[in-house]
Amino acid sequence: MNIKSKLTVVSGVIALSMVAFGAQANEGTVNFKGAVIDAPCGITPETIDQTVDFGMITTVDLESGALIGKQDFKIELVNCDTTALVGKTVDVTFNGATVASAPTELGTVGGTGTAIVISSPDGSDVTFGTPTAAQVIGDGSNSLLFSAAVKKATGGTVAEGDFTAVSNFTLAYQ
C-alpha cells in the first residue's frame, strides 16, 4: 500500500470513529392531523384558526360604554363548488361562553370585566349560538367579513390586566 492509500484508509477510519463514537443523534416526532368533510368549500389555514389582537385599551375608554378597538376579520372560503346548493348561501354560527343575560357578548378570561362583540357585515351584533344572516357565495373563493370590538361587559367591573376569549364557528351551507 502506498502512502496515499494508507492516508485514505486512516482518514476513513477516523471519520467512521467520529460518527460511531462522537456524534449524538436527536430524535423527535412529527404529528399529522386533519379531517375529511363533505362541504362545498374549504377554509384557508390562515382563517380557520386566527387571532384578533386588540392591543392596549384604557379603562377610561371601557367605562364610557363604547365599543373599543374595532378589528375586522374574515373567514376565507376556497375551492367552492356551489352546484349542489339550492340557495348558494352560507351562515355562520359563533359559539363561546357569553356574559350572563347578554347573548351578544363573548365573555373574556382574565378578570378585566370585558366582553367581545362580533358584528356581521350588515353591522348587526352576532348572537352567540345563533346563525348569522345568510351570505351569498359563488364558485371559487369567497370572503365572509366580520368585525370585533371590546366593551365593558354587562354587569362587569372594569379592571386592569390581560384578557382572552375563544369563539368557535360553524358554517352551514344552504
Side-chain angles (χ1 to χ4, degrees):
M1 227 184 217
N2 66 26
I3 296 238
K4 189 174 181 183
S5 296
K6 287 181 183 179
L7 287 175
T8 304
V9 170
V10 169
S11 295
V13 169
I14 291 172
L16 284 174
S17 66
M18 288 177 66
V19 169
F21 300 108
Q24 296 291 323
N26 288 338
E27 294 182 15
T29 303
V30 177
N31 295 300
F32 301 94
K33 69 177 193 168
V36 176
I37 61 170
D38 183 15
C41 299
I43 304 173
T44 62
E46 299 81 19
T47 64
I48 200 164
D49 185 10
Q50 56 187 303
T51 300
V52 175
D53 187 350
F54 294 106
M56 295 183 189
I57 299 169
T58 68
T59 56
V60 171
D61 285 340
L62 289 168
E63 289 293 355
S64 74
L67 293 174
I68 309 298
K70 180 182 171 190
Q71 299 286 325
D72 293 333
F73 70 96
K74 60 188 170 184
I75 301 168
E76 289 284 339
L77 305 179
V78 292
N79 303 321
C80 293
D81 179 359
T82 61
T83 329
L85 298 178
V86 175
K88 300 196 185 311
T89 62
V90 63
D91 62 52
V92 183
T93 302
F94 289 94
N95 292 298
T98 57
V99 173
S101 71
T104 61
E105 296 179 20
L106 179 65
T108 62
V109 175
T112 59
T114 56
I116 309 297
V117 175
I118 297 177
S119 297
S120 292
D122 65 5
S124 64
D125 292 345
V126 167
T127 300
F128 290 89
T130 302
T132 61
Q135 295 185 48
V136 176
I137 58 171
D139 291 339
S141 297
N142 297 268
S143 292
L144 307 178
L145 306 174
F146 297 91
S147 64
V150 182
K151 68 173 286 206
K152 177 181 178 181
T154 299
T157 302
V158 174
E160 290 182 75
D162 295 334
F163 63 88
T164 60
V166 175
S167 177
N168 297 310
F169 63 86
T170 305
L171 304 178
Y173 299 92
Q174 295 86 37

